[in-house]
Amino acid sequence: MTAGRDSAVGEQASVAPEKAAKGVKRAGGGGGGDASVASGKKAAVTRKAAATRKGAGVGAAAGASKSVKAAVSKKAAGAAGTAGAVKPVKKAVGKAESRTALVRRARRINRELAEVYPYAHPELDFENPFQLLVATVLSAQTTDLRVNQTTPALFARYPAPEDLAAADPEAVEELIRPTGFFRAKTKSIMGLAAALRDEYGGEVPGRLEDLVKLPGVGRKTAFVVMGNAFGRPGITVDTHFGRLVRRWKWTEETDPDKVEKAIGELFPKSDWTMLSHRVIFHGRRICHARKPACGACPIAPLCPAYGEGETDPEKARKLLKYEKGGFPGQRLKPPQSYLDAGGIPAPPLGGTAPPPATGG
């Protein structure tokens, strides 16, 4: 467009002197005034042409400036789009997610976790329902590892409910002291042992309504026992489970009973027990409370909370725990499937942990 303007201006500048010369010729060639006028007209035309060229140059510069700004804006928009693409989950999984979409996403996460943790299991050592019941009560406000390191001596001395019910409370307190809150826990496990002896013939009941009546036993403990000692489905809502299902937007509930109900409605009952193990496994190994290893998470594309933790893959891998990080697990006697997957048994109380495995 600028070239067109320059061409038009050039034609105008070349035609103008010719017209001026003809005018002078018709006047008989005389009169310096006429010549001066013609010369003035020529100068004016020349100035006009220059101004036109200058204006055309300014217009071109302005147009170029607008083009550059437009290009920058497009580039910025592209960069924003690229940055947004790093976390596509938040767009795909937002407040507008339908109930059907939620169920599908939740079940897909469960399937993915099943592939990641095919060896998921309760991380308390036990050989019978009584041992699992006592160990689960002792696990409150402490780690399964510490319970596993404590119960061998306890069960060796009090192998049955009748033995524990008749024990010296101070002796029991001393044995379970490493688990913390040992006085309250002593009262609970001795009380439930007495109830088992007096009301259930020394046997652990397999019904929820019976289990929750025992001292120190709530729904979480009851479902652990039912699911792992009796094969009856139940959802275990511990701190890990509650944290992850809220991060995944499966529910906004914080009350354990309400969480249990909400999650139970997303899955068939047959999935409940193993779902609990997988979610808890994931919470302990990858999706930690304070610094989740987002960059090493196998379900990151399905997680609305992606980015809350470390997203750099190399840094995230350093945050992995237990067998995922090549370190010992929580059980002194883990299942063979766990060992086959690279898991390392935990050391006994006061023992030295084996060195980390070389693999991730």
Side-chain angles (χ1 to χ4, degrees), residues 201-215:
E203 299 293 331
V204 176
R207 299 193 313 163
L208 175 65
E209 52 268 36
D210 294 327
L211 285 168
V212 295
K213 293 178 182 178
L214 299 173

Side-chain angles (χ1 to χ4, degrees), residues 74-127:
K74 289 180 180 178
K75 186 175 181 181
T82 302
V86 175
K87 302 176 184 178
V89 177
K90 290 192 175 181
K91 293 182 180 180
V93 183
K95 294 181 180 179
E97 186 177 32
S98 68
R99 178 70 179 180
T100 300
L102 170 61
V103 171
R104 288 175 178 171
R105 182 170 60 87
R107 295 185 180 185
R108 183 178 173 188
I109 287 177
N110 184 38
R111 291 193 298 272
E112 296 283 345
L113 294 179
E115 294 183 8
V116 178
Y117 308 107
Y119 47 78
H121 57 271
E123 295 193 89
L124 289 170
D125 284 322
F126 69 98
E127 296 178 357

